[in-house]
Structures are given as C-alpha cells and as structure tokens.
Amino acid sequence: MIWRCAICCVFIALSLKLLLSHINRMHSRSPDIRFVCGIDGCSEDFRVYNSFYHHVKRRHSHHLLEGTEVNEHRPEGSQGQSQQVSMLLSDGLAYIAILVCVGVHFSRFYTHVECELLIKIKDMNEIVVGVQQYQSSLVDYFRTKMEEVLKRHSGTTTPQVSKDAMDIFDTFTDPFTNVATTFRQNSALRMQFGCVDADEIPIGRTLCRKKCGSKEFFIKDKLFYYVPLLKSLQQFLSHPMIWGMIGNGPQICREGFFHDLNDGDLLKSHPLFSENPNALQLILYTDEIEICNPLGSFASKNKLLMVYYTLGNINPKYRSKLASIRLLVIAKSEDIRQSGVDVILKRIKEDLDALYSGVRLQTADGEKKIYGAMVSLCGDTLAQHELAGFKEGVGFAFSKCRHCECSYEDMQSQFREDLFTKRTLEKHIRQCDEIEKANTDLLRSNLKTTYGINRRSELVDFPSFDVIQQTPQDVMHVILEGIAPMEIKCVLNHLIQSGEISLDSVNSGILGFSYSPLDVRDKPSTISLSTLMSNDGKLRQSSGQMLVLLRILPFVLERLEKNAYVQLIIKLIEIVQIVFAPVLSIATVCRLKQLIQDHLSDWKALFPDRSVTPKQHYMLHLPSQIKLLGPMVRHMCMRFESKHCLFKRWAGKINFKNVCKSLVRKNQIHESCQNISTSAHTLFSHEKDLGPMSEVNLHHVRSKLKDFLGFTEVRNAVSVKWLMMNGNKYIIDKSMVFVKVVNGNMPEFGLVRNIFVVDSTLYCLEFQPFYTVRFDAHFMAYEVEVPSLAEATEIVDAEKLVDFTSYYTASTNGKTYVLVKYHLGDVIKLHTT
C-alpha cells in the first residue's frame, strides 16, 4: 500500500500509520494547516490533527490494520499535489529478476546495517523517512513498469508468472518498520550497544494537576537522574584505545616543571595515587544551564543542574574533546534547591567509596581491579560554594574566600597570600561542628556569617578529598568573566574621560584589527557608551572574545604605551598568558606570585575609590594551586561548558513532560555509540583533517625531505591547503609555527608555505624562517623580521614541532609581531634543558 502526503508532496509511506505519524510530526503545528481526509472519498476536513486522527480511527480503522492492499485514495492537504517520481530504466523481462532480488534481499540487507546507519546521523528520523520515501518510490515505479512489461509480453508469460511477479509488491515489507519511531530506534540502539541506564532517584514528592485547569490532582515523585559511575567507567574503559592510553600510566614532566595533574604536589603525596599511579583521576564539574529562552516566561522552570566528569589520566591533548566529558547527574535546579545538593553527593560518594577500595570492572583487557579517587571539583564560584557548603553569596560572609579567612578590610590592603590565615580541612570540620551544635538559630546564623560556611558538605566525607585544596579557582570565570572586563572597563573610562583617547578610536581599533582565521569567530564586539557607563563591571563579551580582546588591546592602545593605566592592563595580560600556559616552571610560578601582588597594588593606587573584589583576591591563590594541581588550564571550565551546547540542541527536539529523562536517555545512547568500532573512538577522531589536495613536484619534495629529515624513499606525495592536527589548524601562507629554539631562549617561527602528505603517513610543513628580533613587553608578542620571498625554505615534521599551536602575525608601524596565546618561556626551557 502506498500512501503519499499531499501537504508536503514529498513523503511516501507503505502504511497509513506511518503517514499519520509524519503528518503529526511535520505538519500538525503549522498555524494555517487544514486536513482533508480523502480516504475512500471522504470529504471531511479538520483544523486540529487530533480530531483528524480520531476521525480516521472511527471511520477508516480498517486501513490502519491493512498493509498490503493498494489504495486509490490518499489523504489530501491544502498545500500542493502529489509529485511523481520519474526514473529512466531499460525495458525487458529482467524486471522480474530484479524485483525478486529486491523483495527477497532488500529487507535482509537493512536489518544488518540499520543500527550502524542510525547512530552515525544527526537526526535519525529524517534519514529513516528519507530512506522510506526512496524505497516507496522505487517500489511504486517498479510496480508500474512491471505492469507495462507484462502487458507487452502477455503472449509469452503465463498468468501464474504474472501473478507471482505482481505478488512481490504486495509482500514487500518496510525494513525500517522496527525503527520507524524514535522510541524504537532508541530501543534498538540500547540493546545493540549496551547503553548504561541512568538511575531514577526520588528526592521528594509534589502535588500536580492531572490536566491543565483540572480539579483532579495526583502525587508525583521528584527525581534526579544518576548515571552509575562504575558502569559508566566500565563502558568507557571497554574500548581498547581508551584502555591502552590509560593503562600506559601517567606521563611525569621533568623535575621543576608543571605540565599536568601528576606534576602537582597533591597527587605526589596522595594516599592512593602515590601508591598506585595508574588509579583513575576523576575531575568533576557542576553547573546550571537554561535550556529555554532565558528571557521567556518559562526561563526558570526548566533550569537544570548538570554534573559531568572526566579522567585526568587522559592525555591533555584529548581531554578537551567533548567525548572525554561524560554525564554523571542531571536534575531540575528547583528540585535540588528544595531538597539540597547533598542528596546527589551522597549517591556519588557510594560509588567513589567503592572505587577507592578497588572494584573489578570488565575492561578491553579483561576483568581488572580498578582504583580511583576524585582529584578536583571544577565550576564557577557559585557552584563550587554550593557543593562545598560555603556561603554562595560571598558578600554576606565575613570570610569571603574558601581558601583563606580573609575579611573585606584585609582584602583591600593585603596583597600577599602568606599574610592571610589559610583554611585547612581539620579547621573547616571543626567550624562545621560548631555551626551544627549551636544552641540557638541566632548563634548558628552568626557563626555561618563569620566562617562563611552554610553547612557541612558531603564532600568532606569523600575518600581522601580535601574540600579546601581540591576546589581550584577557574581562570575563565575569575579572570575572563570577572577581573578582565571590570579592569578594562575602568581603564577605558578613565582614558576617555581624561581625553587621552575616544571611544570611537577604541571601537575603530577593534573593528579594523587584522584577525587571524581562528580568532575571527571570537572577534570582540564593539563597546557601546551605555555598556561603558554602566556600573555592573561587564563589557558584554564572551570568554572567547575576552581572550582575543586581551591579545589585541596593546595594539589598540599603542600610542598610550607609557600610560600607567595602560600598563596596568599590560601586566594583567602577562598574568593571563602565564595562567593559560600548558607548561610552567617553579621560577615562573614564583614570578606569577609577584606579578599578582604588584598588579593589585597598582590597581589600588590607580583606583583608590574602587574596592578590591573577591575575584581579584582569588588571584593570590593561583600560584599555590598550580603547585598543588598543575597548570590552571587542566581545571578550566571552558570545555566543560561546551558540553552544554549538546543538551541545549537536544532540548529543542524533545518534549518537556520529563525533560531530564529525555535528555539523559539521549545522552546515554550517544555515549554508548562511541564504542561501536574497536579500531576507532570519537575521542581520537579527526586527529588529522586535510583540506583540498593537489599534485606536487615529487622531485622537489624528495629533495627537501632528504636534506632536512633524512628520508630517501618517497613513493608519493600530495599538497593540501590546510591541515588540522589535534585541534590546531595550519593554513598555507597564513599560519606561523614554532619550529625551534635559537640563541638559547628565543623561538624561531616560520610561515607555512606548503603542507605535504607523504606516503599517507608523514605530514610535513614547508616553512620560510622568520628571524626573531625580541619579545616586546608592551605588545606581549615577539617581533620578527619578514624575509624576502627569494629566501630558501625548510621543512619540518608536523608532529615534531616545539609547540603545536598555530600562530599568526599582526603588523603596526612597519613592524611585524607574532601574537602568542600563552607564556612560551617554559616551553622553551623544557625543550632546551
């Protein structure tokens, strides 16, 4: 039976059920839709899909049960008419053989591959519908052609052969019937790939109406959804490539340098990791997301609390990929505010206790006893304080910092970390006990305000977890969304009001700057006068835009190089470059400590009427946190927040009856699909992406490879316009690469002239060397000399660069500068010593 939708004139189905499902999904919410039945000549029309559906069930129910009968009538719509598919095929009795093959084998083929097809596409329903349309059109066309062939050869074929040939069409079954709906698709995927189901954990009850406006009520459980940590880890470790990377053990940097968590003092003295270096290092992140329009009427009703985790054992170059970040908890924020976040922490603690003692999990290498512990809790100040039990609004606390017991008065005058009394876990537990044992509510309230503590958090009881030391500050929230916009705003206000610069010239500099192909997506917005004059300390820039703005601001304010207010921003840029560095030495950490002290002193001297904010004070603790847990970028929230985009995109395609359940199911299917192939994993996908290819002079490539890399045998080579390697994109005639260290401490950059792929395994960059003149302390960039075009080029293996970041140049006053994203001094030291 062939049913065609006359509303869109595209969809074709083999059953009336599928056609109704399509009309409901695709057309029922259109404001001007009108349904004309048309089945068996029925002329009734409807404005509401539900009315049309119930009419079909009452009057034409026999068509819902039939699936093999040809129907001349189809439901009609108000828009368009049926379109016919036209295909050109040769004539002959070969149609019979073709149709026999189609009828016997077509369904069998899709049964084997349908699951693999569905998990590789972004919108499963659209692809399933597309395939169904194609096969329906194909069967319809073959039926017509077969009738024509049998009529022309009626003298040579018996009636029985004609009947058997036409019966093929009546017995044809849709191979996607079992996965025609989202529910069936999800069920098939869950069964095929071992999806980890989330636990529904009740935390309370509420009274709800059965229907809107109804006087009947029912009791509904409040739930949060928890993905069992141990099962999630087992699924993750079951992939051979993941297990191979984690099983190799941690990579320890050379003494005196910090590159990852393992180089910090905390893990070196940790009871578990000091004895078992291969134990799993869990990094938790928590945040609230708004999945509806934040300005709409339903903004606060569907705010969700998300908890993710990742493993510190994953190589840093893969850890920033979304495939390494996995969902742990999803709940409605409103429910958690009423019941308290400790209900979530208690469930997490159960799994962490078991993991700390050792659990047997099925890995890619068989059953193994796995150990692990939580090494850090990441998030913004609000989220970290909520989970750790500190005052969420630090303005209402006497002690405003979770790392020390600083008061507001001390915060304004003391800019050295050692001048403050540090919090310790033992003292924190004692203060929590005092709050719990307070005799009166007034005393309890006063103690909470004095200590800056709301309650004793369940985090305190996590195995070998220090709630003071292992809740690091996030540089994205503290600097990019707090300190940087506030200080830049104050400096620009002063410069504009003093007449040294105009707002138009600042905006012209922002608009006219020559951004790199990578920075253009985070190009800063122009600053309006209303934004500049507001008192909220914000510049209306995202975190990515703030990073780019800090990089270009010295060029925008170039003529005020010696101005003390501009120097304040330059010093802040230097601090940002250090805290964003992937490698840091002890000497640089000590210098960072002094830079922060000087910066806060200068801030207070230049703006005596402005208060030192808590976020500015938090910078004092960054050097000690680097010594404890490694570089700050290993705990930054920027990539965790990128995971939110996935859930926001899914939220637009689901119903909101139980949004948490819908999202967690979709996520678990998504995560289970990453283990499809044992030879590949999403975490390692797109390690190397290539741009358009072209032929090269093979003799030239062979000569270069022999001179610089010692390769003598080259079978084939191609040139590509760009190369994406581990998240870094190299573009011909635009990208600069850090190829080697010269004169002991100077980087040598080269402009990429060609990118060669040799024998499909070797990726080489042909570059033109630029001589590095000096590091310019005002622009916070390296000044380079541009060579003549005739100067010889060199070649380097792209996997053996000193630093894999792709750099770009900016020019001003006849000089060229290479802009750096972070401090390169320790990268150079690590490479040369």
Side-chain angles (χ1 to χ4, degrees), residues 3 104 119 126 252 401 423 532 557 582 623 665-666 800:
W3 299 85
V104 174
I119 60 180
E126 291 183 5
I252 306 297
C401 178
R423 292 182 188 261
L532 197 64
L557 305 176
R665 281 186 172 180
K666 202 162 187 68
K800 295 182 179 179

Side-chain angles (χ1 to χ4, degrees), residues 512-550:
F513 191 83
S514 179
Y515 295 95
S516 72
L518 301 184
D519 288 341
V520 72
R521 62 186 177 186
D522 288 321
K523 179 180 177 181
S525 305
T526 55
I527 303 170
S528 65
L529 184 61
S530 59
T531 299
L532 197 64
M533 299 306 294
S534 63
N535 297 321
D536 56 4
K538 297 180 180 179
L539 278 180
R540 306 294 186 269
Q541 311 279 350
S542 67
S543 299
Q545 288 176 312
M546 281 306 306
L547 268 177
V548 178
L549 181 61
L550 286 168

Side-chain angles (χ1 to χ4, degrees), residues 399-589:
S399 298
K400 301 182 181 298
C401 178
R402 64 177 179 272
H403 301 295
C404 68
E405 298 178 347
C406 69
S407 64
Y408 175 80
E409 291 75 16
D410 292 339
M411 191 186 296
Q412 306 306 312
S413 57
Q414 297 179 7
F415 307 124
R416 286 172 49 191
E417 185 186 27
D418 52 8
L419 295 178
F420 296 96
T421 302
K422 289 188 177 181
R423 292 182 188 261
T424 62
L425 182 60
E426 295 76 14
K427 192 173 183 179
H428 176 77
I429 294 174
R430 188 168 64 250
Q431 290 172 345
C432 290
D433 291 340
E434 290 181 24
I435 292 172
E436 290 176 357
K437 294 176 181 178
N439 296 326
T440 64
D441 291 341
L442 179 61
L443 177 59
R444 185 178 296 108
S445 177
N446 289 337
L447 288 175
K448 288 181 178 181
T449 302
T450 301
Y451 295 147
I453 299 172
N454 276 336
R455 72 185 196 286
R456 177 188 172 119
S457 170
E458 285 290 326
L459 286 175
V460 173
D461 299 321
F462 277 25
S464 296
F465 183 80
D466 192 321
V467 75
I468 306 299
Q469 294 185 341
Q470 292 174 255
T471 52
Q473 298 291 342
D474 175 52
V475 292
M476 184 191 82
H477 289 102
V478 171
I479 297 181
L480 299 183
E481 295 183 359
I483 299 169
M486 182 197 68
E487 293 191 358
I488 291 174
K489 188 173 184 176
C490 291
V491 168
L492 291 180
N493 258 321
H494 172 81
L495 295 177
I496 292 172
Q497 290 177 11
S498 62
E500 297 180 71
I501 199 171
S502 66
L503 182 59
D504 288 340
S505 64
V506 173
N507 287 331
S508 296
I510 293 173
L511 291 173
F513 191 83
S514 179
Y515 295 95
S516 72
L518 301 184
D519 288 341
V520 72
R521 62 186 177 186
D522 288 321
K523 179 180 177 181
S525 305
T526 55
I527 303 170
S528 65
L529 184 61
S530 59
T531 299
L532 197 64
M533 299 306 294
S534 63
N535 297 321
D536 56 4
K538 297 180 180 179
L539 278 180
R540 306 294 186 269
Q541 311 279 350
S542 67
S543 299
Q545 288 176 312
M546 281 306 306
L547 268 177
V548 178
L549 181 61
L550 286 168
R551 208 174 299 148
I552 71 168
L553 206 54
F555 293 88
V556 176
L557 305 176
E558 178 184 2
R559 65 184 185 85
L560 301 175
E561 178 180 352
K562 299 185 182 300
N563 187 287
Y565 292 87
V566 175
Q567 286 301 312
L568 180 75
I569 300 301
I570 301 301
K571 194 164 289 185
L572 176 64
I573 295 172
E574 187 175 2
I575 292 171
V576 170
Q577 288 190 356
I578 292 176
V579 297
F580 275 84
V583 178
L584 290 169
S585 65
I586 293 178
T588 303
V589 175

